[in-house]
Amino acid sequence: MSDKALSDERWIEESLHKPEGFLTSYRADKVLYEEKTSEQHLVIFENAFFGRMMALDGATQVTERDEFIYHEMMTHVPIFAHGAVKRVLIIGGGDGGILREVVRHKDVEHVTMVEIDPAVTEFSKKQLTSVSAGAFDDPRLNLVFADGAKFVHDCPDSFDVIIVDSTDPVGPGEVLFREDFYHGAEMRLAEGGVLVTQNGVPFMQGSELKGTMEKFGRLFSVATCYLATIPTYVGGPMAMGWGTDNNQLTDVSLADLRQRFKQADIAMRYYTPDVHKAAFALPQYVIDIMAPA
Ligand code: SAM
């Protein structure tokens, strides 16, 4: 390729770990949409290998190629662990991937989704249609455009599962890592419910997980995480925070998970009951990060 053609290429930086001196970048073969919204910088572009991708404030949010791993593990682990989920709250999740996985559960009766930036949802619907796959049209959805940190204090309802599919603790997402938000979410949990949070890649962002676990430890009798490796959340396995007062949930048997999985009859690309159980087996460095100071 000529120097001119190379220089014409646009590469979009993943700058989340710039403070650690670690940058990755994705060739943008085509930029589909770019805007400084009222909340954040939003870009949706095409990459030859990962397909359509979205980045917010320089952090990769979702790619068509690997989103199934994250969305299946953030959604089906709490729902199958609980076993009788009727009401789900999603905080964030603007691209619709979590919503898509939640509504695949026919026994779920209601989903409230609270997204701070309407532009993310509006442009994901148009440019990332495979991610939401029509889920925004599901009649069980109550879509609210608001700050999730406020919503959990203002909303009177309760939910069996709360999934915080937030950006990282920068910009609008920062408030979703504060104890005040977690306390509000805990108040919204129905008896036996569980709070699950996007908690970054511990190898790169250990303090994020440590901070959440310290706060969860003050709010819940069970404060732990489970892991899944998403290629474009660089730096190793990602932690999904788990806070609940229902001690049964984490220890649900493989036999029960297999029975619920069979009953739900949902075709998966990553989740299996065995992967579910294995995800809670944590390596020592993650245990050490979570250990109380
Ligand atoms: N899967 C991605 C990840 O793990 O980083 C997150 C995807 S989703 C696009 C993150 C969403 O959180 C965005 O749509 C963003 O607008 C939303 N968000 C950020 N802060 C928020 C807040 N305070 N309340 C509600 N939604 C928020």
Side-chain angles (χ1 to χ4, degrees):
M1 182 178 280
S2 70
D3 289 352
K4 180 172 175 344
L6 271 175
S7 64
D8 286 350
E9 281 184 345
R10 176 169 177 192
W11 289 73
I12 291 182
E13 271 184 6
E14 159 74 68
S15 55
L16 184 61
H17 305 305
K18 203 168 185 176
E20 290 75 28
F22 177 44
L23 275 181
T24 51
S25 57
Y26 299 91
R27 193 181 65 224
D29 299 313
K30 191 173 171 197
V31 175
L32 298 163
Y33 189 77
E34 189 163 12
E35 177 192 354
K36 179 77 183 74
T37 76
S38 57
E39 299 297 337
Q40 51 211 337
H41 175 261
L42 159 67
V43 58
I44 299 178
F45 62 98
E46 274 176 6
N47 171 274
F49 183 81
F50 287 105
R52 292 194 173 191
M53 299 182 58
M54 171 166 60
L56 292 174
D57 286 341
T60 305
Q61 300 297 309
V62 63
T63 92
E64 283 182 319
R65 191 163 185 133
D66 69 0
E67 55 86 5
F68 68 96
I69 303 170
Y70 174 82
H71 292 129
E72 286 185 18
M73 287 301 280
M74 280 285 281
T75 305
H76 304 302
V77 170
I79 291 181
F80 282 128
H82 185 286
V85 172
K86 298 295 177 207
R87 297 176 54 83
V88 176
L89 172 61
I90 303 168
I91 302 290
D95 50 55
I98 297 288
L99 176 63
R100 178 195 74 212
E101 291 303 312
V102 169
V103 298
R104 296 176 78 190
H105 288 269
K106 293 300 160 249
D107 293 346
V108 167
E109 294 169 354
H110 173 91
V111 195
T112 288
M113 177 171 155
V114 183
E115 164 57 53
I116 198 166
D117 192 344
V120 176
T121 300
E122 189 189 332
F123 291 102
S124 297
K125 274 184 191 173
K126 289 184 198 130
Q127 305 288 358
L128 289 170
T129 43
S130 66
V131 174
S132 52
F136 285 111
D137 299 328
D138 193 291
R140 293 169 286 178
L141 171 62
N142 167 33
L143 180 56
V144 176
F145 291 118
D147 180 344
K150 233 177 119 338
F151 179 87
V152 290
H153 288 287
D154 299 345
C155 163
D157 300 335
S158 60
F159 301 88
D160 302 304
V161 167
I162 300 176
I163 299 172
V164 184
D165 179 22
S166 71
T167 42
D168 289 276
V170 286
E174 193 274 327
V175 290
L176 300 181
F177 290 81
R178 291 185 191 163
E179 186 149 356
D180 181 60
F181 166 68
Y182 292 144
H183 177 57
E186 190 257 343
M187 290 192 300
R188 297 282 67 78
L189 277 179
E191 177 80 21
V194 58
L195 169 64
V196 172
T197 55
Q198 183 281 101
N199 246 120
V201 173
F203 191 81
M204 300 299 300
Q205 306 159 278
S207 58
E208 187 179 307
L209 177 63
K210 187 172 194 62
T212 296
M213 287 301 113
E214 278 167 5
K215 295 160 191 153
F216 276 22
R218 291 192 284 270
L219 292 166
F220 299 104
S221 58
V222 178
T224 186
C225 73
Y226 58 101
L227 303 177
T229 300
I230 297 95
T232 52
Y233 297 159
V234 294
M238 162 178 260
M240 294 157 184
W242 180 269
T244 181
D245 289 330
N246 181 347
N247 301 5
Q248 309 299 318
L249 288 194
T250 324
D251 303 329
V252 63
S253 75
L254 187 54
D256 283 349
L257 288 175
R258 284 175 174 161
Q259 193 276 326
R260 294 170 189 173
F261 179 65
K262 189 166 182 286
Q263 179 98 28
D265 188 24
I266 298 174
M268 303 285 187
R269 296 175 60 200
Y270 188 88
Y271 179 93
T272 72
D274 294 73
V275 163
H276 175 144
K277 289 296 283 180
F280 284 90
L282 304 177
Q284 192 57 49
Y285 82 93
V286 174
I287 295 169
D288 293 344
I289 287 171
M290 297 198 310

